[in-house]
Amino acid sequence: MKHYYCLAFAFFLSVYTLSAQEIQKIDSINAILVQNSSLKTDSLLVIFENNLKAAQKIDYKKGIGESYKNLATTYGYEANGEKRVAYNLKAIRIFEENDLKPQAANLYGEMGYGMKRDNMERAEYYMNKGLKMAEEGNYKEVLDRTYNNYGVLKEMQGQLDSALYFYKKGLAIVEERKYTKGLPYSYSNLAGAYGQMGNFDLARDYFYKAKAIREEINDRKGIAENFTQIGEVYMAEGKPAVAIPFFEKSLPIARKEDYRFLMQYTYQQLSEAFKQMQQTDSALYYFEKYAVFKDSINSLETTKQIAALEIEFETEQKENQILEQRAQLAEKDLEVRRKNTYVYGSLGLAIILGLLGYLIYTRQKQKNRQLQKENELQVALAKIETQNRLEEQRLRISRDLHDNIGSQLTFIIISLDNLNYMLKDTGQEIKDRIVAISSFTSVTINELRDTVWAMNKESISLIDLKNRIEALIDKARESNAKTQFEIQLQDSEKHFEFSALEGINVYRIIQEAVNNALKYAAAQTICVKMKISDFKYKIVILDDGIGFDINEGKSGYGISNMQKRANDIDADFKISTTVNKGTKILLQSKLEKITM
């Protein structure tokens, strides 16, 4: 007998071990990301169909649902909308029937994303359903992708601010999870939104960041998407000739991966690019290819079948709800009958239970009130903190306006008073004064614009600052044609950014140095050099003017203002000058070791 029990236990243990191994194998196959896979869609379909059979064989519900979902995603890349919807609905049934809420939330979001080209109203319905479930459960592995996909829906509807909001929320979760494979989605989505807003350089930077990661993880479908997207940015800039090579790089990859939606869209973009270049033969050639794909993908019959599947799914859900309600009513009816049977015999017990219930209810109600008060207190504290931050921001802005604009407005007032006094003897001098005041007012307005420019940005990119400096130099050239200007920028950090405070103070220091060289130094040549390395900066402003003796203490307010601005951003500021040998001004990050 003892030997029999040992054999039975060994058999049970072997079956359990085998099942665990099967489950692990099924989960590892379902974990394959369709978009990142180097396999063609035909191969992926065979793999996921076999995985579905393996999961069904051992009745592994989660594995069955995930296999259906992966089959739906793969058919989506093949542009088979009918099967995509059918398999997604099968997966949803499995997830909901077995209380697999994270998987259900994720799939509702994926269904909404997959329907974005067919029916935006239904797409938002499914997306909101998935997002609500994910937020209630705080499923971060679902929220990062769902936020990104929801941003795509907003972008397609032209709601770019909302799209950026959801893209940034998705990126924050991806970075928090350190999920490298999710970064390209966030970067590409942000790039698309910035491109539509007209910030083409920033859009391209994000697309290249996404492509670099996708090359590392061998995400061929994603690389094809990025090539097409970079081409789109150049199209938006009105550069079809530059865009065409990127579209042509995308097509062979998309064709090899059997990514039909992307092929269709890229053919359309190529047709439009050649059309803009007035190369009608090529434009017609690619338009015909686009039309063939469009007809095969968006047939009326497929649309009807998808709608029928959705109706069938929703009808089934409603029927299930009706059955559940009937079961609940039957159960309540049975409960009432039981209570009526024992009501007289257990009256005393019912009274005691009622009292206990009332006490529990009262206590719970008090607890809920306490929680509500605590929540209200937290909200109030958050509002106070927000108000304090806004107040600090207003103070910083007011100080900046006072320092940069106040003194100049005072000068204008004094000049106007003097002008009023001089009107007694009208002459050329009065006219000259009026012109001088008008010019000074223009300078004041420009400085105000510079301040507002910095206020409207959370950060200032190197490209933004360089453009601003070039605009300053262009104005200087107009006012003094005899002086030669030069700008040198060495950048080893493509994505270097200044904070708004750093950016405006660095710009003001350069502006003050250039203006001083023009007004007082009689310089023939002015050079602005900038080098960025290891996320630190070094800026040098050189002129070959008359210089001055810095030991005489007559440097004026300009140098002290530059020194103060450098201190405000915790930067090193040095000035060296010699009479008749020019002036050199150095601004750099603390502990900077850059050589120029």
Side-chain angles (χ1 to χ4, degrees):
M1 181 66 70
K2 189 178 292 185
H3 179 66
Y4 172 80
Y5 283 131
C6 290
L7 287 174
F9 178 77
F11 176 77
F12 173 79
L13 184 63
S14 65
V15 171
Y16 176 80
T17 304
L18 183 61
S19 297
Q21 290 175 347
E22 284 292 317
I23 288 172
Q24 185 178 7
K25 180 180 177 182
I26 291 167
D27 286 341
S28 65
I29 292 174
N30 279 331
I32 297 173
L33 289 177
V34 176
Q35 184 164 358
N36 292 346
S37 174
S38 59
L39 299 172
K40 287 188 176 182
T41 53
D42 290 340
S43 300
L44 287 171
L45 287 173
V46 173
I47 290 171
F48 291 132
E49 283 171 355
N50 290 335
N51 206 42
L52 173 63
K53 292 175 182 178
Q56 289 172 332
K57 186 176 180 180
I58 62 173
D59 198 29
Y60 177 36
K61 300 298 185 183
K62 178 175 177 290
I64 295 170
E66 292 284 4
S67 297
Y68 280 139
K69 180 181 78 72
N70 284 327
L71 283 167
T73 303
T74 308
Y75 278 120
Y77 282 112
E78 279 201 334
N80 191 328
E82 179 187 358
K83 287 190 175 181
R84 182 198 72 213
V85 174
Y87 278 107
N88 272 332
L89 296 180
K90 287 182 179 181
I92 279 290
R93 291 191 188 98
I94 295 292
F95 293 149
E96 291 190 332
E97 288 171 2
N98 294 276
D99 201 30
L100 298 168
K101 292 183 179 178
Q103 290 78 9
N106 179 59
L107 186 50
Y108 272 124
E110 292 292 324
M111 287 173 64
Y113 183 75
M115 298 179 69
K116 62 184 182 295
R117 297 184 182 90
D118 305 320
N119 189 329
M120 182 60 72
E121 182 178 352
R122 299 298 295 168
E124 285 209 312
Y125 166 78
Y126 285 122
M127 187 70 73
N128 279 309
K129 196 169 184 177
L131 191 58
K132 182 179 179 182
M133 292 175 68
E135 287 177 337
E136 287 176 352
N138 195 26
Y139 308 133
K140 292 189 177 180
E141 70 278 9
V142 177
L143 282 171
D144 59 0
R145 189 173 182 87
T146 308
Y147 280 139
N148 271 296
N149 288 343
Y150 199 39
V152 173
L153 267 60
K154 294 297 182 184
E155 182 180 341
M156 290 176 69
Q157 297 175 77
Q159 301 173 20
L160 297 180
D161 289 337
S162 297
L164 279 177
Y165 170 79
F166 286 107
Y167 290 157
K168 289 178 180 178
K169 289 191 73 171
L171 177 59
I173 297 177
V174 169
E175 291 174 338
E176 179 185 343
R177 293 177 58 213
K178 298 181 180 179
Y179 182 45
T180 303
K181 291 182 179 179
L183 286 172
Y185 297 97
S186 294
Y187 289 154
S188 294
N189 289 337
L190 284 168
Y194 283 124
Q196 290 195 53
M197 289 179 169
N199 196 335
F200 304 120
D201 290 333
L202 187 57
R204 272 189 293 271
D205 284 347
Y206 271 113
F207 279 134
Y208 277 118
K209 285 175 68 176
K211 189 169 76 69
I213 295 174
R214 282 169 166 164
E215 288 172 346
E216 291 177 4
I217 63 178
N218 198 29
D219 176 7
R220 305 298 297 168
K221 294 181 179 69
I223 294 169
E225 285 182 350
N226 285 145
F227 277 129
T228 294
Q229 290 160 341
I230 294 169
E232 285 181 273
V233 176
Y234 282 114
M235 287 288 289
E237 274 190 289
K239 300 177 180 178
V242 184
I244 287 171
F246 289 96
F247 295 143
E248 291 175 341
K249 289 179 182 178
S250 173
L251 275 175
I253 302 174
R255 187 180 298 110
K256 187 176 181 180
E257 297 300 318
D258 202 20
Y259 194 170
R260 298 183 186 180
F261 270 123
L262 185 62
M263 291 174 67
Q264 172 197 346
Y265 183 75
T266 306
Y267 282 138
Q268 182 186 23
Q269 292 300 303
L270 277 166
S271 175
E272 181 61 28
F274 282 113
K275 179 181 177 182
Q276 291 183 17
M277 295 174 65
Q278 296 183 348
Q279 297 183 20
T280 54
D281 289 344
S282 297
L284 180 59
Y285 171 77
Y286 283 110
F287 182 80
E288 289 174 349
K289 283 186 169 291
Y290 157 72
V292 170
F293 270 85
K294 183 180 179 182
D295 292 339
S296 65
I297 290 173
N298 299 322
S299 68
L300 179 61
E301 186 61 27
T302 299
T303 304
K304 289 180 179 178
Q305 290 171 344
I306 290 173
L309 283 169
E310 285 196 306
I311 292 170
E312 180 184 345
F313 172 69
E314 292 179 358
T315 302
E316 182 180 330
Q317 281 193 322
K318 290 177 181 178
E319 288 175 352
N320 289 337
Q321 290 174 358
I322 292 171
L323 290 174
E324 287 178 5
Q325 290 173 356
R326 287 178 179 175
Q328 290 172 359
L329 289 173
E331 186 177 348
K332 288 180 180 179
D333 185 56
L334 180 59
E335 184 180 352
V336 169
R337 290 180 182 179
R338 287 174 179 172
K339 285 182 179 179
N340 288 336
T341 303
Y342 297 103
V343 66
Y344 296 106
S346 57
L347 182 60
L349 180 61
I351 293 172
I352 294 172
L353 292 174
L355 289 172
L356 287 173
Y358 177 76
L359 290 174
I360 294 171
Y361 169 77
T362 304
R363 186 174 179 181
Q364 185 64 38
K365 194 173 182 179
Q366 290 175 347
K367 187 177 180 180
N368 290 340
R369 288 177 181 172
Q370 183 67 26
L371 288 173
Q372 184 177 0
K373 289 181 180 178
E374 290 177 0
N375 288 334
E376 289 173 354
L377 180 60
Q378 289 178 355
V379 171
L381 290 173
K383 287 182 179 179
I384 292 171
E385 184 179 356
T386 301
Q387 290 173 354
N388 288 337
R389 290 179 180 175
L390 289 173
E391 186 62 28
E392 290 173 1
Q393 182 70 7
R394 291 192 193 99
L395 288 174
R396 284 197 296 271
I397 293 170
S398 64
R399 282 197 298 268
D400 196 31
L401 290 173
H402 179 271
D403 292 343
N404 295 307
I405 309 303
S407 61
Q408 296 183 14
L409 292 175
T410 302
F411 177 81
I412 292 173
I413 293 170
I414 294 171
S415 298
L416 288 172
D417 289 340
N418 292 336
L419 181 61
N420 187 46
Y421 178 78
M422 294 170 61
L423 284 174
K424 294 178 180 179
D425 301 314
T426 303
Q428 185 62 37
E429 183 179 0
I430 294 176
K431 295 178 182 179
D432 293 342
R433 286 292 185 93
I434 292 173
V435 171
I437 294 171
S438 176
S439 299
F440 199 84
T441 305
S442 297
V443 172
T444 304
I445 292 171
N446 289 332
E447 291 192 359
L448 180 58
R449 287 174 178 167
D450 292 336
T451 303
V452 173
W453 163 70
M455 286 166 52
N456 287 335
K457 293 178 176 288
E458 294 180 4
S459 61
I460 296 176
S461 69
L462 191 60
I463 294 172
D464 288 339
L465 181 61
K466 181 175 179 292
N467 292 339
R468 211 71 185 182
I469 294 170
E470 288 177 344
L472 171 66
I473 296 301
D474 288 341
K475 291 181 180 178
R477 286 195 182 99
E478 292 176 2
S479 62
N480 195 329
K482 295 181 180 180
T483 304
Q484 299 295 318
F485 296 91
E486 183 180 357
I487 300 177
Q488 298 179 10
L489 173 61
Q490 300 178 34
D491 174 21
S492 62
E493 305 292 346
K494 294 182 179 179
H495 306 292
F496 181 83
E497 289 186 342
F498 296 94
S499 68
L501 180 63
E502 284 179 327
I504 189 61
N505 279 302
V506 167
Y507 173 73
R508 291 291 191 207
I509 290 170
I510 295 172
Q511 182 186 44
E512 183 73 28
V514 171
N515 287 340
N516 286 346
L518 287 172
K519 290 180 181 179
Y520 309 118
Q524 298 298 312
T525 303
I526 299 174
C527 180
V528 179
K529 299 181 178 181
M530 184 183 302
K531 184 171 183 180
I532 308 297
S533 179
D534 297 326
F535 293 97
K536 295 180 180 179
Y537 62 87
K538 181 176 182 180
I539 300 169
V540 176
I541 305 100
L542 298 168
D543 71 71
D544 59 357
I546 62 175
F548 60 91
D549 188 349
I550 200 168
N551 296 320
E552 290 183 358
K554 297 181 180 179
S555 56
Y557 291 108
I559 294 176
S560 63
N561 282 340
M562 288 190 282
Q563 181 67 64
K564 183 179 181 301
R565 289 187 180 278
N567 293 338
D568 288 343
I569 59 175
D570 196 27
D572 288 329
F573 175 83
K574 294 179 182 178
I575 181 168
S576 56
T577 180
T578 305
V579 176
N580 296 324
K581 291 186 178 181
T583 302
K584 174 182 178 181
I585 293 175
L586 170 65
L587 178 70
Q588 62 182 1
S589 304
K590 287 286 187 183
L591 305 177
E592 182 56 61
K593 300 295 183 182
I594 298 177
T595 58
M596 297 179 68

